[in-house]
Amino acid sequence: MVLRLLAVLFAFCVAAPAGAAELVMLEQPACPWCARFDAEIAPAYPKTEEGRIAPLRRVSIVEPWPPDLAGIVRERFTPVFILVEGGSEIGRIRGYPGDDFFWPLLDEMIARLPARSRAASAD
């Protein structure tokens, strides 16, 4: 019991800072659309403004659900991209629509972040 409590506390400490936005990517092994995202978007993502505002965090749907995402609804299919800030969902993209559509959809979600979060994360 004590070890489990310590593990939960540790998870909260290593998660994104309170209030910080992150893009949670739900994935699973052998997901062809996840692989396509990895080829088309993932290498450049951390170098983009969007990547600085909402760093990518990968979560496998076949692994135990992270405690800090307890308030976020799980999905059964992948990929799903969930913009999270301060433990609350801002929006989600179900599936990977290709790079031509991914960026505008992500920008729409990021626009819903409070201005202070966008400005602080982009610095």
Side-chain angles (χ1 to χ4, degrees), residues 33 37 75 77-81 92-98 102 105:
W33 292 102
F37 172 85
E75 294 272 353
F77 300 101
T78 58
V80 175
F81 302 90
R92 69 177 58 202
I93 302 169
R94 288 183 174 90
Y96 174 62
F102 177 81
L105 292 170

Side-chain angles (χ1 to χ4, degrees), residues 2-34:
V2 172
L3 289 176
R4 179 176 246 179
L5 178 61
L6 288 173
V8 170
L9 290 174
F10 178 75
F12 282 109
C13 291
V14 298
E22 62 183 352
L23 184 64
V24 176
M25 177 184 176
L26 303 184
E27 60 184 355
Q28 64 182 315
C31 167
W33 292 102
C34 299

Side-chain angles (χ1 to χ4, degrees), residues 7-70:
V8 170
L9 290 174
F10 178 75
F12 282 109
C13 291
V14 298
E22 62 183 352
L23 184 64
V24 176
M25 177 184 176
L26 303 184
E27 60 184 355
Q28 64 182 315
C31 167
W33 292 102
C34 299
R36 186 169 168 201
F37 172 85
D38 286 343
E40 295 178 358
I41 302 289
Y45 186 79
K47 302 170 191 164
T48 65
E49 181 180 353
E50 293 89 347
R52 287 186 292 279
I53 293 170
L56 185 65
R57 175 183 175 188
R58 295 169 178 268
V59 174
S60 173
I61 66 166
V62 298
E63 299 292 326
W65 196 244
D68 63 311
L69 298 179

